[in-house]
């Protein structure tokens, strides 16, 4: 028989997480996750899930009945939207201005549909005029898919204008709000968003591993009237609907991640307690404070100010500075994590997050002091 390995308990240090995610988790959220586990069909847990649904609706600013948390991270939220709505042979206009627009394209192809690409430069928002031209040129398209807050570059696109265009051309919208939810203005019902997904680990400052999603009545009708079976059993929302709502509410589908859902409930409760508008303003205020300090250090932003995400600050690495070495020094000497560039920005930019609980003055001050020491 194999001998049991001699492994000590894992006790990580308390890092200050100022990368692209995960973000610093609220202490109350960590505490909530450690509460006693109950069964996922327990009446008390059912009551908590009803509250969680209402809290997600508040965060998204929607009355959509089909609003829930997918038991997996934001990437699964993305796949949930595409596999349930898009069928083989359909055309989807996909906006690509960074890594996550490209992932949308891959999802479209994997379901056997045809992506029609609208490309914009990295660091630029999605061009409303380019999207309008694509919609006019492709009247058969049934969906417009775009990233509201592109995490790879820190660019914020005009979701309100893009959704209005889609509606005018008879398209449903699929929107990535992984980094925008809780950090910048987002109004699902007012803007007419049909399918939206986010992640627990960004501006919600919850533990990673859950994806809030919401579907409009029009999107639900599309799901109900599919001609083909959803290719994923686990993500098939026609099966999950019965777990979150309806007469047979909480019918068994899968074992829900009970303690992680406690954590999401608490993080969204804290967001509601602060108030959405106050949270949006706090992220903006901390961004302005960080921007001032970064510009004094001579660092230049990847994104123009009018399209810049306050919660994800991408800055070019100065010439002659070793990217990995600086990030290692910050981690070693300050317990501070900032993010590397992705894709076209790999080795060329740092991504500094100001998300949720992490968007506070002491984090900004520490980050600026640490960078000054490394760049000085």
């Amino acid at each position: 028989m194999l001998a049991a390995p001699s492994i000590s308990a894992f006790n990580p240090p308390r890092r200050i997480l100022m990368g692209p995610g995960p973000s610093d988790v609220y202490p109350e959220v960590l505490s909530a996750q450690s509460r006693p586990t109950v069964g996922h069909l327990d009446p008390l847990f059912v009551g908590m899930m009803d509250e969680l649904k209402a809290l997600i609706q508040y965060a998204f600013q929607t009355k959509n009945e089909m609003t829930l948390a997918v038991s997996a991270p934001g990437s699964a939220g993305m796949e949930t939207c595409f596999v349930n709505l898009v069928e083989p042979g359909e055309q989807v206009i996909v906006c690509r201005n960074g890594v996550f627009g490209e992932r949308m394209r891959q999802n479209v192809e994997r379901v056997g549909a045809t992506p029609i690409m609208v490309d914009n430069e990295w660091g630029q928002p999605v061009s409303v005029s380019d999207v309008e031209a694509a919609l006019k040129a492709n009247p058969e398209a049934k969906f417009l898919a775009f990233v509201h807050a592109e995490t790879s570059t820190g660019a914020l696109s005009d979701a309100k204008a893009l959704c209005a265009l889609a509606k005018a051309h008879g398209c449903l919208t699929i929107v990535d709000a992984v980094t925008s939810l809780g950090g910048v203005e987002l109004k699902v019902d007012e803007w007419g968003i049909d399918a939206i997904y986010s992640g627990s680990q960004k501006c919600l400052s919850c533990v990673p591993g859950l994806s809030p999603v919401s579907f409009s009545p029009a999107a639900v009708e599309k799901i109900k009237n599919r001609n083909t079976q959803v290719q994923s059993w686990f993500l098939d929302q026609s099966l999950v609907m019965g777990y979150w709502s309806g007469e047979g509410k909480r019918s068994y589908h899968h074992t829900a991640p009970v303690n992680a859902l406690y954590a999401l409930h608490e993080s969204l409760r804290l967001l509601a307690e602060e108030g959405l508008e106050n949270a949006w303003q706090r992220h903006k205020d901390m961004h302005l404070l960080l921007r001032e300090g970064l510009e004094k250090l001579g660092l230049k932003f990847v994104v123009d100010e009018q399209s810049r995400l306050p919660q994800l600050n991408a800055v070019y690495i100065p010439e002659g500075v070793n990217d990995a070495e600086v990030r290692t020094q910050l981690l070693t000497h300050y317990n501070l994590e900032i993010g590397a560039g992705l894709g076209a920005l790999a080795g060329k930019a740092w991504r500094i997050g100001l998300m949720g609980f992490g968007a506070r003055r002491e984090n900004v001050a520490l980050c600026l002091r640490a960078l000054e020491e490394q760049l000085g």
Side-chain angles (χ1 to χ4, degrees), residues 285-297:
D285 291 344
M286 293 304 101
H287 160 72
L288 293 174
L289 197 63
L290 179 67
R291 183 195 71 181
E292 181 183 1
L294 291 174
E295 288 178 344
K296 284 180 180 176
L297 292 174

Side-chain angles (χ1 to χ4, degrees), residues 330-370:
L330 296 183
L331 202 62
T332 303
H333 297 295
Y334 287 94
N335 262 333
L336 172 65
E337 177 185 279
I338 64 171
L342 284 181
L345 294 176
K348 299 176 182 177
W350 290 316
R351 292 179 297 154
I352 303 173
L354 284 173
M355 299 182 188
F357 182 56
R360 57 191 198 274
R361 286 180 178 275
E362 54 266 42
N363 279 11
V364 173
L366 174 65
C367 182
L368 291 173
R369 188 168 74 250

